[in-house]
Amino acid sequence: MPKHSPSQLDPRSPLVLDTRDLPRRPGALRTVKRVVPAPADLGVELIGVPEGADLDLDLRLESVSEGVLVSGTVSGPVKGECGRCLREIDDSVVVNIQELYAYQNSTTDTTTDEDEVGRMQDDLIDLEPALRDAVVLTLPTNPLCREDCPGLCPECGVHWDDLPADHSHQQIDPRWAGLSQLTRTEE
């Protein structure tokens, strides 16, 4: 019998779903609505869900012939910084999840690679890998505080929004400085 999970799942863990009360006949359905704390490192470099933030799970657990199909939505806050101007971003994310978890010793369990389909451990489902994949793949790698964010002035580092329209850092090459005097008019 193949071992698919390196350690035993803790049924008290908020992202572990217990399916003991879900009959193993195709079509049996149970809904799960709960608020769970976000796991660590749920994000990308510039934006992510803060560790311990409330994630709202609204899930359907449906028995199918080879296992349990988990589908639904996960929503929660995201925090980060704009990739252009470094301002703080406070937003939220709503992602859809759909993952099949194969029963132990089912045909799917024995005919698929370990990483193709989720695996049940006894009657427990570890939702964290599917949740992590769904959330992280939804987040932008270069988040923006707004679509038309102009960013920072590359010379002085001030937000373009805070600078006057005629702001510039015109530097004259010292070799041409003498010629710039020719364009000035006398008063």
Side-chain angles (χ1 to χ4, degrees), residues 19-90:
T19 64
R20 281 181 287 180
D21 61 348
L22 180 67
R24 285 192 173 199
R25 67 175 189 277
L29 179 69
R30 189 179 101 202
T31 60
V32 173
K33 291 182 189 245
R34 66 169 77 154
V35 177
V36 300
D41 300 322
L42 187 57
V44 292
E45 187 175 345
L46 292 177
I47 194 164
V49 178
E51 183 176 356
D54 287 344
L55 292 176
D56 292 314
L57 305 180
D58 187 4
L59 305 172
R60 289 174 35 137
L61 280 63
E62 185 176 356
S63 284
V64 294
S65 59
E66 294 297 317
V68 175
L69 179 65
V70 177
S71 57
T73 60
V74 175
S75 58
V78 291
K79 291 188 180 288
E81 61 184 28
C82 179
R84 289 186 189 158
C85 70
L86 305 178
R87 286 193 173 136
E88 187 175 307
I89 296 174
D90 281 319

Side-chain angles (χ1 to χ4, degrees), residues 107-123:
T107 303
T108 301
D109 185 45
T110 57
T111 61
T112 59
D113 289 335
E114 192 172 327
D115 59 348
E116 283 184 81
V117 175
R119 309 295 178 177
M120 292 181 65
Q121 223 181 63
D122 297 322
D123 289 319

Side-chain angles (χ1 to χ4, degrees), residues 114-147:
E114 192 172 327
D115 59 348
E116 283 184 81
V117 175
R119 309 295 178 177
M120 292 181 65
Q121 223 181 63
D122 297 322
D123 289 319
L124 302 176
I125 291 173
D126 184 7
L127 190 61
E128 185 174 341
L131 177 135
R132 187 172 295 283
D133 288 348
V135 171
V136 171
L137 291 174
T138 301
L139 295 173
T141 54
N142 190 22
L144 299 176
C145 60
R146 65 177 205 261
E147 194 67 32

